[in-house]
Amino acid sequence: MNRRIALKGIAALGFAGALAACTPMTSTPDIVDIAASNDDFSTLVAAVQAAGLVDTLKSDGPFTVFAPTNAAFAALPAGTVETLLKPENKDQLVQILTYHVVPGAITSDQLAGQRLNVATVQGDTVHVDGTNGVKVNKSNVTSADIIASNGVIHVIDAVLLPK
């Protein structure tokens, strides 16, 4: 009797294990998926789409993205965002957006106590100051280390503009 109960228990565990193996694994979302799921990044997501950078930011990376919020875009001079989103300004939009992206996954603990000039995907460098919080050029990192499957996002309070 105990043997039969034990065998049934083992069989049930084996079945449950096999069923669990068939269940799709939930994975960490990528940079674009994280941004798209957060209403504070709707302007950034629209800009990434208009610039044709979605596939790039969904690729393996890794990337570090300094992600401006909607409020950061709203602080630009009136009409700037609308102008940048026009198809004829795609090249300029790409230059601005890729200035927010650094190759590699850099977390805030790697920046702590450091002052660095870091090369962006756009080609210029951004100045990162991690001595009192983290600043990128003149923007403040307001939320750090949002980990994505293909990198890390740091939320910033201003749009970075290349020189």
Side-chain angles (χ1 to χ4, degrees):
M1 181 79 165
N2 286 340
R3 180 185 266 171
R4 202 176 304 166
I5 292 172
L7 287 175
K8 284 182 181 178
I10 291 170
L13 286 174
F15 179 72
L19 188 59
C22 294
T23 305
M25 298 281 289
T26 56
S27 63
T28 305
D30 62 44
I31 290 167
V32 173
D33 292 339
I34 289 172
S37 70
N38 185 328
D39 290 341
D40 286 338
F41 296 126
S42 61
T43 305
L44 176 62
V45 170
V48 166
Q49 290 169 337
L53 294 173
V54 171
D55 289 342
T56 301
L57 290 175
K58 287 181 91 47
S59 69
D60 291 342
F63 305 106
T64 297
V65 176
F66 298 108
T69 61
N70 293 344
F73 279 103
L76 292 170
T80 301
V81 173
E82 294 77 13
T83 300
L84 286 171
L85 292 176
K86 292 180 180 178
E88 61 268 23
N89 296 320
K90 180 179 177 180
D91 290 343
Q92 184 181 8
L93 182 60
V94 168
Q95 291 293 310
I96 291 169
L97 292 175
T98 56
Y99 187 62
H100 289 78
V101 181
V102 173
I106 304 168
T107 56
S108 61
D109 62 327
Q110 295 170 300
L111 301 173
Q114 305 277 334
R115 285 190 175 140
L116 310 162
N117 287 316
V118 182
T120 67
V121 170
Q122 180 261 358
D124 288 339
T125 61
V126 290
H127 179 72
V128 178
D129 184 347
T131 58
N132 186 17
V134 178
K135 290 181 74 79
V136 182
N137 291 352
K138 294 182 180 178
S139 71
N140 296 298
V141 172
T142 59
S143 182
D145 300 334
I146 301 170
I147 304 300
S149 63
N150 60 345
V152 62
I153 300 169
H154 301 293
V155 181
I156 56 175
D157 64 0
V159 176
L160 305 174
L161 298 173
K163 300 169 185 122

